[in-house]
Amino acid sequence: MFRITIECLDVAPDLGPHAAIDIEQEFRVHRVWHKEPSCTYSDGKLLLVALNDFDVDGGALLDEFWDCLAAYLGEQGETRILGVEQV
């Protein structure tokens, strides 16, 4: 199992808190192959953490996070994988 952490920078303060809730719900309801998703907003940054058993480099979660960002925010800042940890 892998714990993957991804961040998105430069998220507007008026959009960030609601986007975090929407994105976490999207993963919990529609992207259930990622376990225990958590999306939070703080200081202009969205942080997504999730577990899965197939994404060794975090690329799959990053792609799906990017899709959610486009759907819920439209434009977004830099998005990058902060870490992939085997658990």
Side-chain angles (χ1 to χ4, degrees):
M1 190 72 75
F2 302 97
R3 175 179 291 119
I4 303 152
T5 305
I6 300 175
E7 71 177 358
C8 177
L9 304 175
D10 302 323
V11 178
D14 58 326
L15 300 176
H18 198 321
I21 293 166
D22 288 342
I23 290 169
E24 184 172 317
Q25 274 304 105
E26 172 75 20
F27 276 91
R28 288 188 184 279
V29 174
H30 300 290
R31 300 168 192 255
V32 295
W33 46 93
H34 298 288
K35 307 294 181 201
E36 301 177 26
S38 170
C39 189
T40 57
Y41 174 79
S42 180
D43 299 325
K45 173 173 59 174
L46 282 170
L47 190 68
L48 175 66
V49 180
L51 302 171
N52 65 46
D53 60 357
F54 60 87
D55 198 6
V56 219
D57 65 358
L61 184 64
L62 177 64
D63 286 346
E64 292 188 50
F65 186 38
W66 195 91
D67 289 345
C68 287
L69 292 168
Y72 292 107
L73 294 176
E75 295 184 25
Q76 69 275 347
E78 179 183 355
T79 306
R80 62 183 173 201
I81 298 167
L82 294 180
V84 177
E85 169 187 13
Q86 192 162 10
V87 293

